[in-house]
Amino acid sequence: MGTGPRAERGFDLALTELIEPGEHRFLVEIGSDDGAAVAAELPVRPANPEEIGAAASVSERTAAAMGRRLDTSGLKERLQKNLEHPRWDDVATRCLACGNCTMVCPTCFCTEFEDTTDLAGETAERTKRWESCFTLGFSHVHGGSVRSSIKARYRQWLTHKLAGWHDQFGTSGCVGCGRCITWCPVGIDITEEAAAVGLPKKDG
């Protein structure tokens, strides 16, 4: 997705873990004034050329080890034009709607508000808490849930992440980290699902 593994911009402090026999260190890169202020309070020293080279090697090895690819050419349009593709039914039979993928995704930001009062009715609180678009209650309105099926909820998540984000923020909502794949208890792979939507369904 062109987002790493080495951070290039938009960060305060970036840490690269350096593990060698008998030694465990971190190379710290400063990306903002706020990051510099934090680093100034830490027991750090300037990195030497060998340490900088070792950190670069970590990033290079990590990038080379990534085994999955997601073809993003025309993906936004393909997803938005295929909201009734049979693949949504296929993935819905496997998806548990557990929300693991949204809880580990670094860009998921769904929240909800909960109002509570004390037993005496004298105080009230409104609490904002993290939520997942996979829960049935997330899209609940006075008439019921807007997305009552797992198919609808998975489709909402995938199309928002890979298509709607472009309309909202000018970029994809996927950073390519693979956490949603790792933490899915039934092995659903976002790269496979995104690639399959829009393709003719095959027998077999």
Side-chain angles (χ1 to χ4, degrees), residues 160-184:
H160 183 221
K161 188 68 56 181
L162 300 179
W165 261 69
H166 288 281
D167 297 324
Q168 285 182 279
F169 307 112
T171 187
S172 174
C174 177
V175 299
C177 67
R179 292 173 184 161
C180 59
I181 301 170
T182 299
W183 288 99
C184 179

Short mmCIF file of all heavy atoms in Angstrom, two decimals, residues 160-184:
data_model
loop_
_atom_site.label_atom_id
_atom_site.label_comp_id
_atom_site.label_asym_id
_atom_site.label_seq_id
_atom_site.Cartn_x
_atom_site.Cartn_y
_atom_site.Cartn_z
N HIS A 160 -15.92 0.76 2.67
CA HIS A 160 -15.50 2.02 3.29
C HIS A 160 -13.98 2.08 3.37
O HIS A 160 -13.36 3.10 3.03
CB HIS A 160 -16.11 2.16 4.68
CG HIS A 160 -15.78 3.46 5.34
ND1 HIS A 160 -15.44 3.57 6.68
CD2 HIS A 160 -15.70 4.73 4.84
CE1 HIS A 160 -15.20 4.85 6.96
NE2 HIS A 160 -15.34 5.57 5.87
N LYS A 161 -13.37 0.99 3.80
CA LYS A 161 -11.92 0.96 3.98
C LYS A 161 -11.17 1.19 2.66
O LYS A 161 -10.19 1.93 2.61
CB LYS A 161 -11.52 -0.40 4.58
CG LYS A 161 -10.09 -0.53 5.00
CD LYS A 161 -9.73 0.32 6.19
CE LYS A 161 -10.62 0.06 7.38
NZ LYS A 161 -10.24 0.94 8.52
N LEU A 162 -11.63 0.55 1.60
CA LEU A 162 -10.88 0.56 0.33
C LEU A 162 -11.45 1.49 -0.73
O LEU A 162 -10.80 1.72 -1.75
CB LEU A 162 -10.81 -0.86 -0.23
CG LEU A 162 -10.12 -1.89 0.67
CD1 LEU A 162 -10.15 -3.27 0.00
CD2 LEU A 162 -8.69 -1.49 1.01
N ALA A 163 -12.65 2.02 -0.50
CA ALA A 163 -13.26 2.90 -1.51
C ALA A 163 -13.73 4.22 -0.90
O ALA A 163 -13.32 5.30 -1.34
CB ALA A 163 -14.44 2.18 -2.19
N GLY A 164 -14.60 4.15 0.11
CA GLY A 164 -15.15 5.37 0.70
C GLY A 164 -14.10 6.29 1.30
O GLY A 164 -14.28 7.52 1.31
N TRP A 165 -13.02 5.71 1.80
CA TRP A 165 -11.94 6.53 2.35
C TRP A 165 -11.37 7.49 1.31
O TRP A 165 -10.98 8.60 1.63
CB TRP A 165 -10.83 5.64 2.90
CG TRP A 165 -10.87 5.45 4.38
CD1 TRP A 165 -11.81 4.77 5.10
CD2 TRP A 165 -9.94 5.97 5.34
NE1 TRP A 165 -11.51 4.80 6.43
CE2 TRP A 165 -10.37 5.53 6.62
CE3 TRP A 165 -8.79 6.72 5.24
CZ2 TRP A 165 -9.69 5.85 7.79
CZ3 TRP A 165 -8.09 7.03 6.40
CH2 TRP A 165 -8.55 6.60 7.66
N HIS A 166 -11.32 7.04 0.06
CA HIS A 166 -10.80 7.91 -1.00
C HIS A 166 -11.68 9.14 -1.15
O HIS A 166 -11.18 10.25 -1.39
CB HIS A 166 -10.72 7.14 -2.33
CG HIS A 166 -9.63 6.13 -2.37
ND1 HIS A 166 -8.32 6.46 -2.59
CD2 HIS A 166 -9.66 4.78 -2.20
CE1 HIS A 166 -7.56 5.38 -2.58
NE2 HIS A 166 -8.35 4.34 -2.33
N ASP A 167 -13.00 8.96 -1.04
CA ASP A 167 -13.92 10.10 -1.13
C ASP A 167 -13.79 11.02 0.08
O ASP A 167 -13.89 12.24 -0.04
CB ASP A 167 -15.37 9.60 -1.23
CG ASP A 167 -15.61 8.78 -2.50
OD1 ASP A 167 -15.02 9.12 -3.54
OD2 ASP A 167 -16.38 7.81 -2.44
N GLN A 168 -13.58 10.44 1.25
CA GLN A 168 -13.49 11.23 2.49
C GLN A 168 -12.14 11.89 2.70
O GLN A 168 -12.06 13.05 3.08
CB GLN A 168 -13.78 10.34 3.70
CG GLN A 168 -15.23 9.97 3.89
CD GLN A 168 -15.41 9.15 5.14
OE1 GLN A 168 -15.19 7.94 5.13
NE2 GLN A 168 -15.82 9.79 6.22
N PHE A 169 -11.07 11.13 2.49
CA PHE A 169 -9.75 11.59 2.89
C PHE A 169 -8.72 11.65 1.75
O PHE A 169 -7.57 12.02 1.98
CB PHE A 169 -9.20 10.69 4.00
CG PHE A 169 -10.15 10.54 5.17
CD1 PHE A 169 -10.76 9.32 5.42
CD2 PHE A 169 -10.45 11.61 5.99
CE1 PHE A 169 -11.64 9.16 6.49
CE2 PHE A 169 -11.32 11.48 7.05
CZ PHE A 169 -11.92 10.25 7.31
N GLY A 170 -9.11 11.22 0.56
CA GLY A 170 -8.19 11.26 -0.56
C GLY A 170 -7.15 10.17 -0.56
O GLY A 170 -6.15 10.24 -1.29
N THR A 171 -7.34 9.13 0.23
CA THR A 171 -6.40 8.01 0.30
C THR A 171 -7.14 6.76 0.73
O THR A 171 -8.29 6.84 1.17
CB THR A 171 -5.26 8.32 1.29
OG1 THR A 171 -4.27 7.30 1.22
CG2 THR A 171 -5.78 8.42 2.72
N SER A 172 -6.49 5.62 0.63
CA SER A 172 -7.10 4.37 1.08
C SER A 172 -7.07 4.30 2.59
O SER A 172 -6.18 4.85 3.25
CB SER A 172 -6.32 3.18 0.51
OG SER A 172 -6.80 1.96 1.04
N GLY A 173 -8.05 3.61 3.17
CA GLY A 173 -8.07 3.39 4.61
C GLY A 173 -7.25 2.19 5.03
O GLY A 173 -7.15 1.89 6.21
N CYS A 174 -6.66 1.49 4.08
CA CYS A 174 -5.83 0.33 4.37
C CYS A 174 -4.36 0.74 4.29
O CYS A 174 -3.93 1.33 3.30
CB CYS A 174 -6.11 -0.79 3.38
SG CYS A 174 -5.06 -2.25 3.59
N VAL A 175 -3.60 0.41 5.34
CA VAL A 175 -2.17 0.73 5.35
C VAL A 175 -1.31 -0.49 5.01
O VAL A 175 -0.09 -0.40 5.00
CB VAL A 175 -1.73 1.33 6.70
CG1 VAL A 175 -2.47 2.63 6.98
CG2 VAL A 175 -1.91 0.34 7.84
N GLY A 176 -1.96 -1.64 4.79
CA GLY A 176 -1.21 -2.83 4.40
C GLY A 176 -0.55 -3.57 5.53
O GLY A 176 0.35 -4.37 5.30
N CYS A 177 -0.99 -3.35 6.76
CA CYS A 177 -0.31 -3.98 7.91
C CYS A 177 -0.64 -5.46 8.05
O CYS A 177 0.13 -6.21 8.64
CB CYS A 177 -0.67 -3.24 9.20
SG CYS A 177 -2.41 -3.39 9.70
N GLY A 178 -1.81 -5.91 7.56
CA GLY A 178 -2.18 -7.31 7.63
C GLY A 178 -2.75 -7.76 8.96
O GLY A 178 -2.99 -8.95 9.17
N ARG A 179 -3.00 -6.83 9.88
CA ARG A 179 -3.52 -7.22 11.19
C ARG A 179 -4.91 -7.84 11.08
O ARG A 179 -5.24 -8.77 11.82
CB ARG A 179 -3.57 -6.00 12.11
CG ARG A 179 -2.20 -5.48 12.49
CD ARG A 179 -2.30 -4.18 13.27
NE ARG A 179 -0.98 -3.64 13.55
CZ ARG A 179 -0.75 -2.38 13.87
NH1 ARG A 179 -1.75 -1.52 13.95
NH2 ARG A 179 0.47 -1.96 14.11
N CYS A 180 -5.75 -7.33 10.17
CA CYS A 180 -7.10 -7.89 10.04
C CYS A 180 -7.03 -9.35 9.59
O CYS A 180 -7.87 -10.17 9.99
CB CYS A 180 -7.94 -7.06 9.08
SG CYS A 180 -7.27 -6.93 7.40
N ILE A 181 -6.05 -9.69 8.78
CA ILE A 181 -5.87 -11.07 8.33
C ILE A 181 -5.38 -11.94 9.48
O ILE A 181 -5.89 -13.03 9.73
CB ILE A 181 -4.88 -11.13 7.14
CG1 ILE A 181 -5.38 -10.27 5.98
CG2 ILE A 181 -4.65 -12.57 6.70
CD1 ILE A 181 -4.35 -10.07 4.87
N THR A 182 -4.39 -11.43 10.20
CA THR A 182 -3.79 -12.18 11.31
C THR A 182 -4.81 -12.52 12.39
O THR A 182 -4.83 -13.63 12.92
CB THR A 182 -2.62 -11.38 11.92
OG1 THR A 182 -1.63 -11.18 10.92
CG2 THR A 182 -2.02 -12.11 13.11
N TRP A 183 -5.68 -11.56 12.72
CA TRP A 183 -6.58 -11.72 13.86
C TRP A 183 -7.96 -12.24 13.48
O TRP A 183 -8.82 -12.37 14.35
CB TRP A 183 -6.69 -10.41 14.61
CG TRP A 183 -5.43 -10.11 15.36
CD1 TRP A 183 -4.42 -9.27 14.99
CD2 TRP A 183 -5.01 -10.69 16.60
NE1 TRP A 183 -3.41 -9.29 15.91
CE2 TRP A 183 -3.75 -10.15 16.91
CE3 TRP A 183 -5.60 -11.61 17.47
CZ2 TRP A 183 -3.06 -10.51 18.07
CZ3 TRP A 183 -4.90 -11.96 18.62
CH2 TRP A 183 -3.65 -11.41 18.90
N CYS A 184 -8.20 -12.55 12.21
CA CYS A 184 -9.49 -13.11 11.83
C CYS A 184 -9.53 -14.58 12.23
O CYS A 184 -8.71 -15.38 11.77
CB CYS A 184 -9.73 -12.99 10.33
SG CYS A 184 -11.31 -13.71 9.82
#
